[in-house]
mmCIF file of all heavy atoms in Angstrom:
data_model
loop_
_atom_site.group_PDB
_atom_site.id
_atom_site.type_symbol
_atom_site.label_atom_id
_atom_site.label_comp_id
_atom_site.label_asym_id
_atom_site.label_seq_id
_atom_site.Cartn_x
_atom_site.Cartn_y
_atom_site.Cartn_z
ATOM 1 N N ALA C 224 17.479 -25.421 -12.717
ATOM 2 C CA ALA C 224 16.108 -25.252 -13.290
ATOM 3 C C ALA C 224 15.997 -23.880 -14.020
ATOM 4 O O ALA C 224 15.468 -23.850 -15.093
ATOM 5 C CB ALA C 224 15.113 -25.335 -12.255
ATOM 6 N N PHE C 225 16.596 -22.813 -13.369
ATOM 7 C CA PHE C 225 16.504 -21.545 -14.033
ATOM 8 C C PHE C 225 17.337 -21.629 -15.334
ATOM 9 O O PHE C 225 16.890 -21.035 -16.282
ATOM 10 C CB PHE C 225 17.245 -20.529 -13.031
ATOM 11 C CG PHE C 225 16.172 -19.583 -12.466
ATOM 12 C CD1 PHE C 225 15.693 -19.818 -11.201
ATOM 13 C CD2 PHE C 225 15.648 -18.488 -13.244
ATOM 14 C CE1 PHE C 225 14.790 -18.879 -10.644
ATOM 15 C CE2 PHE C 225 14.759 -17.674 -12.707
ATOM 16 C CZ PHE C 225 14.279 -17.860 -11.438
ATOM 17 N N GLY C 226 18.559 -22.227 -15.295
ATOM 18 C CA GLY C 226 19.358 -22.273 -16.477
ATOM 19 C C GLY C 226 18.654 -22.967 -17.606
ATOM 20 O O GLY C 226 18.625 -22.409 -18.781
ATOM 21 N N ILE C 227 18.016 -24.120 -17.332
ATOM 22 C CA ILE C 227 17.382 -24.833 -18.384
ATOM 23 C C ILE C 227 16.198 -24.075 -19.017
ATOM 24 O O ILE C 227 16.055 -23.952 -20.178
ATOM 25 C CB ILE C 227 16.965 -26.238 -17.885
ATOM 26 C CG1 ILE C 227 18.134 -27.072 -17.516
ATOM 27 C CG2 ILE C 227 16.198 -26.948 -18.980
ATOM 28 C CD1 ILE C 227 17.811 -28.384 -16.852
ATOM 29 N N SER C 228 15.383 -23.561 -18.152
ATOM 30 C CA SER C 228 14.241 -22.872 -18.581
ATOM 31 C C SER C 228 14.618 -21.611 -19.332
ATOM 32 O O SER C 228 13.945 -21.304 -20.308
ATOM 33 C CB SER C 228 13.250 -22.592 -17.499
ATOM 34 O OG SER C 228 13.734 -21.588 -16.653
ATOM 35 N N ALA C 229 15.638 -20.873 -18.914
ATOM 36 C CA ALA C 229 16.037 -19.741 -19.586
ATOM 37 C C ALA C 229 16.568 -20.120 -20.968
ATOM 38 O O ALA C 229 16.286 -19.440 -22.021
ATOM 39 C CB ALA C 229 17.184 -19.034 -18.866
ATOM 40 N N ALA C 230 17.369 -21.295 -20.993
ATOM 41 C CA ALA C 230 17.876 -21.656 -22.381
ATOM 42 C C ALA C 230 16.745 -21.947 -23.349
ATOM 43 O O ALA C 230 16.831 -21.598 -24.510
ATOM 44 C CB ALA C 230 18.737 -22.930 -22.172
ATOM 45 N N TYR C 231 15.686 -22.626 -22.830
ATOM 46 C CA TYR C 231 14.564 -22.886 -23.704
ATOM 47 C C TYR C 231 13.931 -21.568 -24.232
ATOM 48 O O TYR C 231 13.606 -21.437 -25.413
ATOM 49 C CB TYR C 231 13.469 -23.716 -22.939
ATOM 50 C CG TYR C 231 13.707 -25.197 -22.949
ATOM 51 C CD1 TYR C 231 14.916 -25.773 -22.517
ATOM 52 C CD2 TYR C 231 12.705 -26.078 -23.371
ATOM 53 C CE1 TYR C 231 15.115 -27.101 -22.608
ATOM 54 C CE2 TYR C 231 12.920 -27.437 -23.367
ATOM 55 C CZ TYR C 231 14.080 -27.959 -22.996
ATOM 56 O OH TYR C 231 14.269 -29.330 -23.006
ATOM 57 N N ALA C 232 13.746 -20.657 -23.272
ATOM 58 C CA ALA C 232 13.199 -19.409 -23.623
ATOM 59 C C ALA C 232 14.034 -18.720 -24.699
ATOM 60 O O ALA C 232 13.536 -17.953 -25.603
ATOM 61 C CB ALA C 232 12.931 -18.498 -22.399
ATOM 62 N N GLY C 233 15.349 -18.800 -24.474
ATOM 63 C CA GLY C 233 16.236 -18.201 -25.434
ATOM 64 C C GLY C 233 16.045 -18.728 -26.870
ATOM 65 O O GLY C 233 16.075 -18.025 -27.791
ATOM 66 N N VAL C 234 16.005 -19.994 -26.970
ATOM 67 C CA VAL C 234 15.692 -20.597 -28.325
ATOM 68 C C VAL C 234 14.428 -20.121 -28.835
ATOM 69 O O VAL C 234 14.359 -19.778 -30.049
ATOM 70 C CB VAL C 234 15.655 -22.156 -28.210
ATOM 71 C CG1 VAL C 234 15.200 -22.810 -29.464
ATOM 72 C CG2 VAL C 234 16.990 -22.740 -27.810
ATOM 73 N N ALA C 235 13.393 -20.074 -27.957
ATOM 74 C CA ALA C 235 12.150 -19.528 -28.432
ATOM 75 C C ALA C 235 12.276 -18.092 -28.938
ATOM 76 O O ALA C 235 11.730 -17.627 -29.999
ATOM 77 C CB ALA C 235 11.077 -19.635 -27.386
ATOM 78 N N GLY C 236 12.958 -17.312 -28.156
ATOM 79 C CA GLY C 236 13.233 -15.900 -28.542
ATOM 80 C C GLY C 236 13.890 -15.819 -30.006
ATOM 81 O O GLY C 236 13.630 -14.903 -30.749
ATOM 82 N N SER C 237 14.921 -16.679 -30.069
ATOM 83 C CA SER C 237 15.686 -16.697 -31.244
ATOM 84 C C SER C 237 14.693 -16.931 -32.469
ATOM 85 O O SER C 237 14.782 -16.179 -33.487
ATOM 86 C CB SER C 237 16.722 -17.796 -31.157
ATOM 87 O OG SER C 237 17.491 -17.942 -32.397
ATOM 88 N N LEU C 238 13.870 -17.928 -32.303
ATOM 89 C CA LEU C 238 12.877 -18.224 -33.378
ATOM 90 C C LEU C 238 11.909 -17.143 -33.560
ATOM 91 O O LEU C 238 11.535 -16.781 -34.723
ATOM 92 C CB LEU C 238 12.172 -19.583 -33.055
ATOM 93 C CG LEU C 238 13.023 -20.806 -33.170
ATOM 94 C CD1 LEU C 238 12.398 -21.980 -32.416
ATOM 95 C CD2 LEU C 238 13.171 -21.170 -34.652
ATOM 96 N N PHE C 239 11.520 -16.476 -32.496
ATOM 97 C CA PHE C 239 10.641 -15.386 -32.488
ATOM 98 C C PHE C 239 11.125 -14.292 -33.344
ATOM 99 O O PHE C 239 10.365 -13.691 -34.227
ATOM 100 C CB PHE C 239 10.433 -14.895 -31.034
ATOM 101 C CG PHE C 239 9.338 -13.819 -30.884
ATOM 102 C CD1 PHE C 239 8.071 -14.275 -30.876
ATOM 103 C CD2 PHE C 239 9.663 -12.521 -30.637
ATOM 104 C CE1 PHE C 239 6.961 -13.358 -30.652
ATOM 105 C CE2 PHE C 239 8.625 -11.634 -30.486
ATOM 106 C CZ PHE C 239 7.336 -12.016 -30.480
ATOM 107 N N VAL C 240 12.367 -13.938 -33.176
ATOM 108 C CA VAL C 240 12.966 -12.825 -33.956
ATOM 109 C C VAL C 240 13.046 -13.164 -35.415
ATOM 110 O O VAL C 240 12.746 -12.378 -36.333
ATOM 111 C CB VAL C 240 14.366 -12.447 -33.413
ATOM 112 C CG1 VAL C 240 15.207 -11.803 -34.473
ATOM 113 C CG2 VAL C 240 14.197 -11.683 -32.206
#
Side-chain angles (χ1 to χ4, degrees):
Chain C
F225 252 100
I227 296 175
S228 72
Y231 274 55
V234 171
S237 179
L238 289 161
F239 187 77
V240 160

